[in-house]
Amino acid sequence: PLGFSGMKFVDTTLEIEMNNGIRLPVVLDFDMVGVNQKGDTSKVNALSTLASPNQKGDTTKTLVRLSGLGTTTLKYKAPASIQYYDSTTIGAKNNETTIVELMSSNPANFTVRSRARIDGRGTLEDGMHIGGKYRMLAPFEVIMEPMTFISVTNTPVSYTHLRAHETPEHRGWGRV
């Protein structure tokens, strides 16, 4: 919130799991923009080519993981596969942030724009499909840096309930 700084999330991860039954290269492209209460903007861009099956009726799985490292794409031969066969990690570019930095900025507004496109030539066959799900992993583990608490509004302190000898001036509180 406004007036509160010095805290950041350590290990926030956004995972997008896509199952692809289209035997053509499918590109998943999405942008996330967060704007905090001070008007500061954080932007995360992710671009991944999904794994595509070799044979009609097969389905592959791609896990796109956004973390403090950037965007990691893991490709699997089937949805039930445990071991991936291809992996790439791309760090944040200039004027971009990671998902950890974006979530640590405490966005008041959060916008996601996503697109998927077929990147190549081929034939769409009956029964082809694509789908997915996502999960946000945000364990409550934070780093507390030296923090400042600034009130959004000034609140005067009244000393009317104190006796004359208990006022801040008499106790030396007002001395420099």
Side-chain angles (χ1 to χ4, degrees):
L2 194 59
F4 178 76
S5 65
M7 184 179 83
K8 63 181 178 181
F9 290 95
V10 178
D11 198 22
T12 302
T13 304
L14 175 63
E15 291 184 344
I16 302 165
E17 183 178 315
M18 298 295 296
N19 292 327
N20 181 18
I22 300 174
R23 292 190 299 146
L24 294 167
V26 176
V27 177
L28 179 65
D29 181 6
F30 61 97
D31 306 321
M32 293 182 286
V33 178
V35 181
N36 66 16
Q37 290 178 332
K38 293 189 284 185
D40 298 331
T41 301
S42 300
K43 185 175 182 182
V44 175
N45 293 331
L47 182 69
S48 296
T49 301
L50 304 182
S52 55
N54 294 322
Q55 300 198 13
K56 183 177 181 177
D58 287 349
T59 301
T60 58
K61 176 175 78 173
T62 304
L63 186 65
V64 180
R65 180 178 295 140
L66 283 75
S67 68
L69 299 174
T71 303
T72 300
T73 303
L74 304 170
K75 296 180 181 182
Y76 301 82
K77 294 194 181 285
S81 297
I82 297 171
Q83 183 62 41
Y84 58 86
Y85 70 88
D86 187 31
S87 170
T88 57
T89 299
I90 300 171
K93 297 177 184 167
N94 289 341
N95 300 321
E96 294 179 2
T97 59
T98 66
I99 191 71
V100 172
E101 294 164 325
L102 186 144
M103 295 309 290
S104 291
S105 76
N106 193 22
N109 291 325
F110 192 81
T111 305
V112 178
R113 293 183 189 97
S114 61
R115 297 162 295 284
R117 71 177 188 274
I118 295 175
D119 189 23
R121 299 180 59 89
T123 303
L124 291 176
E125 300 164 340
D126 187 36
M128 289 184 162
H129 60 279
I130 190 168
K133 59 185 175 183
Y134 72 92
R135 63 188 149 262
M136 174 74 81
L137 307 170
F140 193 74
E141 178 182 351
V142 295
I143 293 176
M144 302 297 278
E145 298 173 347
M147 295 186 348
T148 305
F149 295 90
I150 302 172
S151 177
V152 176
T153 59
N154 293 332
T155 305
V157 176
S158 172
Y159 298 108
T160 57
H161 67 282
L162 299 175
R163 288 179 243 141
H165 67 280
E166 294 179 328
T167 62
E169 293 79 19
H170 286 90
R171 292 188 174 205
W173 296 346
R175 295 184 190 153
V176 179

